[in-house]
Amino acid sequence: MSLLKITDLTQRFGGLTAVSDLQVDLKEGGLNGLIGPNGAGKTTIFNMVSGFYTPTEGTINFDGNVINGKKPHSVTAMGIGRTFQNIRLWHDMTVLDNIRLSQHYHLGYSVIEPFFRTKNYFANEKRIEDKSMELLDVFKLQDIAHEYPKNLPYGIQRRVEIARALATDPKLLLLDEPAAGLSSSDVSDLIDHIKWIHDNFDITIWMIEHQMEVIMNLCQYIKVIDFGKTIAEGTPDEIQKNPQVIKAYLGDEGEIYA
Amino acid sequence: MLPQASDLGWDGNVLGLDSWGSAELVTLAGDSVKGHFFITHYAVAGAKGATKEFIDRYNAAYGYVSSLLSVILFTVDKETGLSLLPASMSLYLFPVIIIIGGIAAGIVGLLVAIPSFKTRDDYLAIITIAVNFIIITALNNMDFVGGSRGYMGMKKVIYGMEDVFKFPYMLFWVITFAIFTVFLIRRFITSTYGKGIIAIKQDEVAAEIMSVDTNHMKLVAFMFSSGLAGISGGLFAHVIGYVNPGSFSILKSTEALVMVYLAGMGSLSGSVISAILFTILLELLRPLQIFKWVLIPLILILVMQFRPEGLMGDKELSHFFPKLKKYYKFK
């Protein structure tokens, strides 16, 4: 069954067409990749799916609902979690608070209850805190629950950000270049980590990545785009042999030897 | 310290010594506490300084609402005719009137919150300055509140209350409302709900993606802090006994901003302390007359140079005095 179905998706910024006529069909439970040279429109696609951009044309159907034009916070509440290329944690809030805020869409109490500190308020705050701590335990981050992200190593920040995205209970997790800025040993940790998440959470993952090591190791299905257009899709093996992909990444062989 | 101050002010009146002295004292305490209102709401907003600064700008003007109400209800005024309610009732209804002023300001806060959905940072600050000008101009041209001549009569209400029972009412109410404000704000920002505002301040995009409804939170932040500023405006009007549109110029909001910046924008206890210290400083430097306004900006420049995050940054008092944690949970 398809979880995310994108049809004829186009995004124009003024005269520039960032994404044109994109078709995507993500099966439930898959681990998918999205690659392409710089400026190909990958992040633009993620921004449309997560609600930051409203597509110029086309529809995004998630889990049976059309979601284009919806605000990011309601898209998140519907079950799409996301991380960013440059880590966007709240650096002056503890790790626990970072996770805790992911529950903002179902707090379980009304606007005035924080002022009156009702029973219901305490019960729900307790639920949120317990849930957050549980998640941190699962990710073995419980020891740094009260640290500030700005004081943590980059690799750990990445993990916290992924944990935070998972805290919203997503069905689809969008990872925007999770390996960006990581050292090579961190990258192999990350690969194991994403595999582990995919195996242990009931989740579909779609990731943008530049490092072929990560993509080829993890993804079952890869889509390659260039200048906003799909140029190839298939399994890692198929992609590696595709002449158009090689051309997009390495340039035209003919030009070199001409 | 505060009860002592009230004792002093109180004695001054009873003994009929120098009424100026007591008035000064009340104003001093009043001002400092009023500072809290302006300030603490910044702390609430998690203060993206610029984002939230507008609030006191125009809302202090809402001191008008409660002044008008109290004058209409309780005093015999040549314009409003006979008082609607006996003066003795003002004893109980005074806080109600101040709160009504706060609610009115909160509703206006709603109107200014809407541009905040699309505008950010400096641009939003500019919008709020514009709103400040609109409100001041409007008040200047409203004859029933005296236009640019200002509006008075609030003192009569206070005197009316004192006729019934002698007590430093304004000092009492200002302190009560200050404590009430800090209490509300603390409850708000320690809840997961209220932390949404801090999240917006730190990274709005991240807040959206983590399911924080940023427009809703901004609306709440603006209304809440406008409401608090409206309350402080009402108290201000009654302490001074006179308001004119000029009282709420940009200088007033600058004063409030300085208090926040001095303390550190993320610190609640810091804002309170700095409001008190700054007011005392202003009073101490009074003999310097105009040089005061050379020295104070200089202090600000030095703080910004050497400690741009403010004296306390985002730390609470308990960070510096860990023993305090036993008595009071700051965060």
Side-chain angles (χ1 to χ4, degrees), chain A residues 85-87 154 158 176-182 187 190 209 211:
Chain A
Q85 197 170 334
N86 46 337
I87 294 174
Y154 206 75
R158 208 33 110 184
D176 194 346
E177 294 200 35
L182 296 186
V187 168
L190 181 84
E209 191 45 77
Q211 302 201 23

Side-chain angles (χ1 to χ4, degrees), chain A residues 73 76 88 115 117 164, chain B residues 187 190 192 203 208-210:
Chain A
H73 66 86
T76 305
R88 297 194 89 133
F115 296 115
R117 300 274 145 136
R164 189 181 69 169
Chain B
R187 288 207 151 178
T190 47
T192 303
D203 188 336
E208 266 287 334
I209 208 67
M210 295 314 290

Side-chain angles (χ1 to χ4, degrees), chain B residues 114-330:
Chain B
I114 293 161
S116 79
F117 295 166
K118 293 258 175 199
T119 343
R120 278 175 204 179
D121 304 334
D122 305 357
Y123 307 101
L124 183 56
I126 292 167
I127 289 179
T128 65
I129 295 173
V131 173
N132 179 33
F133 275 99
I134 292 172
I135 298 228
I136 288 183
T137 315
L139 285 172
N140 264 326
N141 290 291
M142 283 181 190
D143 266 340
F144 70 98
V145 291
S148 56
R149 278 167 290 119
Y151 188 68
M152 50 185 139
M154 288 76 84
K155 274 282 183 243
K156 283 188 213 157
V157 179
I158 309 298
Y159 294 146
M161 284 156 79
E162 281 174 355
D163 281 344
V164 181
F165 178 70
K166 244 181 162 351
F167 185 72
Y169 289 100
M170 282 324 295
L171 189 66
F172 171 76
W173 282 119
V174 166
I175 291 169
T176 310
F177 273 109
I179 293 170
F180 175 66
T181 305
V182 175
F183 172 82
L184 279 186
I185 290 169
R186 204 187 73 91
R187 288 207 151 178
F188 186 65
I189 56 169
T190 47
S191 70
T192 303
Y193 178 70
K195 278 182 180 144
I197 289 182
I198 302 171
I200 293 174
K201 176 214 163 197
Q202 292 188 12
D203 188 336
E204 194 170 335
V205 170
E208 266 287 334
I209 208 67
M210 295 314 290
S211 81
V212 177
D213 185 343
T214 53
N215 284 357
H216 167 89
M217 289 315 286
K218 283 178 186 174
L219 211 65
V220 169
F222 274 72
M223 285 187 73
F224 182 36
S225 37
S226 303
L228 292 179
I231 288 177
S232 73
L235 291 168
F236 173 82
H238 284 84
V239 168
I240 306 290
Y242 169 75
V243 277
N244 74 347
S247 328
F248 306 111
S249 69
I250 217 157
L251 213 68
K252 193 98 225 138
S253 28
T254 314
E255 240 174 61
L257 273 181
V258 168
M259 291 174 188
V260 193
Y261 283 123
L262 272 182
M265 289 203 289
S267 171
L268 195 57
S269 48
S271 307
V272 175
I273 292 168
S274 129
I276 296 171
L277 289 183
F278 186 69
T279 312
I280 292 176
L281 188 73
L282 279 182
E283 295 301 322
L284 285 180
L285 294 179
R286 199 172 279 257
L288 291 179
Q289 290 172 357
I290 199 73
F291 285 103
K292 182 168 86 169
W293 290 111
V294 175
L295 208 62
I296 286 171
L298 204 65
I299 293 173
L300 195 64
I301 291 172
L302 288 175
V303 171
M304 290 297 114
Q305 271 289 313
F306 296 104
R307 225 179 138 73
E309 74 274 29
L311 295 174
M312 293 177 66
D314 54 1
K315 308 279 191 304
E316 295 295 337
L317 206 55
S318 55
H319 179 82
F320 304 99
F321 305 101
K323 278 188 183 163
L324 283 176
K325 275 183 192 154
K326 264 192 280 181
Y327 306 104
Y328 187 70
K329 203 165 158 252
F330 281 85

Side-chain angles (χ1 to χ4, degrees), chain A residues 2-11 19-26 44-45 47-51 53-70 75 80 172 206 223:
Chain A
S2 77
L3 181 68
L4 182 75
K5 195 166 168 60
I6 296 176
T7 38
D8 306 327
L9 192 70
T10 299
Q11 177 67 274
V19 176
S20 72
D21 262 344
L22 184 84
Q23 321 287 335
V24 176
D25 193 350
L26 295 189
T44 308
I45 295 171
N47 280 341
M48 282 188 280
V49 174
S50 54
Y53 298 155
T54 306
T56 321
E57 284 162 32
T59 52
I60 305 169
N61 192 309
F62 174 72
D63 213 13
N65 301 303
V66 175
I67 57 165
N68 38 337
K70 279 210 172 19
V75 171
I80 299 183
L172 173 67
W206 195 17
K223 191 172 191 66

